């Protein structure tokens, strides 16, 4: 087992457990590299506001007929588990029914996860219907607006990832 494989195994086991603890892969085999340590970190991409708590969404304007607008992209190689909360809102002044198509790309699949977001078609106001999605090894989020009027994508991203270091402190 290579050092990279052992770090990935440790990260997968740590991210999957409630209480992170040091796990030695194949205890009877000695690794061919220096001892490694791993840390868990969580980054949140969210909005802000007075007296607001919890999953506060960030908003991005999506112009009409826009394809594959990149909302978020991860350039690291760290193993991660990510929670995404997404919804679409009408852009003023046209408060009407809206549809946005989002794509979630992961390292583990060549095919993206395709999700269609819509506003609530019932009632006098068209409000977004939030969707919660959890994925592993999240890489990129894109949005497409195929309608002739703009929309607003509201999103909240919480990414928990594993960083492994050698004893010397070099992050790999």
């Amino acid at each position: 087992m290579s050092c990279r494989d052992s770090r990935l195994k440790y990260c997968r086991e740590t991210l999957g457990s409630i209480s992170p603890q040091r796990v030695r892969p194949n205890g009877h085999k000695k690794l061919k590299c220096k001892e490694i340590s791993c840390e868990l970190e969580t980054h949140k991409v969210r909005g802000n506001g007075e007296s607001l708590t919890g999953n506060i969404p960030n908003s991005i304007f999506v112009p009409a007929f826009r394809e594959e607008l990149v909302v978020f992209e991860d350039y690291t190689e760290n193993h991660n588990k990510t929670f995404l909360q997404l919804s679409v809102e009408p852009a003023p002044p046209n408060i009407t029914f809206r549809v946005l198509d989002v794509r979630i790309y992961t390292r583990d699949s060549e095919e993206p996860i395709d999700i269609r977001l819509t506003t609530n078609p019932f009632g006098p106001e068209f409000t977004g219907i939030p969707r919660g999605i959890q994925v592993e090894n999240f890489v990129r989020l894109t949005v497409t607006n195929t309608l002739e009027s703009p929309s607003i994508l509201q999103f909240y991203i919480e990414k928990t990832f594993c960083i492994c270091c050698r004893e010397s402190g070099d992050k790999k």
Side-chain angles (χ1 to χ4, degrees):
M1 175 182 301
S2 72
C3 296
R4 181 167 165 42
D5 293 336
S6 69
R7 285 195 303 269
L8 284 176
K9 181 175 189 243
Y10 172 73
C11 289
R12 288 180 195 276
E13 290 173 356
T14 301
L15 283 172
S17 67
I18 294 173
S19 59
Q21 54 185 321
R22 182 109 178 114
V23 178
R24 297 201 75 173
N26 296 334
H28 62 281
K29 291 184 180 180
K30 188 173 182 179
L31 296 176
K32 296 179 183 177
C33 60
K34 291 183 179 180
E35 187 66 25
I36 54 172
S37 63
C38 296
E39 299 175 15
L40 290 180
E41 293 288 334
T42 298
H43 287 171
K44 297 176 183 179
V45 180
R46 62 180 175 184
N48 56 25
E50 291 184 34
S51 303
L52 297 177
T53 60
N55 300 355
I56 305 166
N58 200 354
S59 298
I60 186 167
F61 180 80
V62 185
F65 300 117
R66 180 63 192 248
E67 290 189 27
E68 293 283 326
L69 174 67
V70 177
V71 176
F72 180 87
E73 192 157 13
D74 180 2
Y75 289 102
T76 69
E77 293 181 12
N78 300 318
H79 177 73
N80 68 74
K81 289 195 178 182
T82 304
F83 171 73
L84 299 110
Q85 182 176 304
L86 308 167
S87 69
V88 59
E89 296 292 334
N94 298 332
I95 308 297
T96 60
F97 184 73
R98 291 288 183 261
V99 174
L100 287 179
D101 294 318
V102 295
R103 284 192 161 171
I104 301 168
Y105 295 86
T106 65
R107 270 188 220 100
D108 302 332
S109 175
E110 292 180 17
E111 295 294 321
I113 300 167
D114 291 322
I115 296 174
R116 175 159 279 188
L117 302 171
T118 63
T119 54
N120 182 0
F122 305 107
E125 293 185 23
F126 293 93
T127 59
I129 304 168
R131 296 276 308 266
I133 301 107
Q134 185 171 338
V135 296
E136 189 168 7
N137 288 328
F138 173 65
V139 176
R140 181 174 47 255
L141 175 68
T142 65
V143 62
T144 297
N145 183 2
T146 58
L147 300 179
E148 58 188 38
S149 55
S151 294
I152 295 173
L153 174 69
Q154 291 197 330
F155 64 97
Y156 170 84
I157 301 171
E158 188 171 308
K159 186 172 80 108
T160 301
F161 56 96
C162 184
I163 302 173
C164 292
C165 309
R166 297 186 186 279
E167 272 188 345
S168 65
D170 298 333
K171 300 214 178 204
K172 296 286 180 184

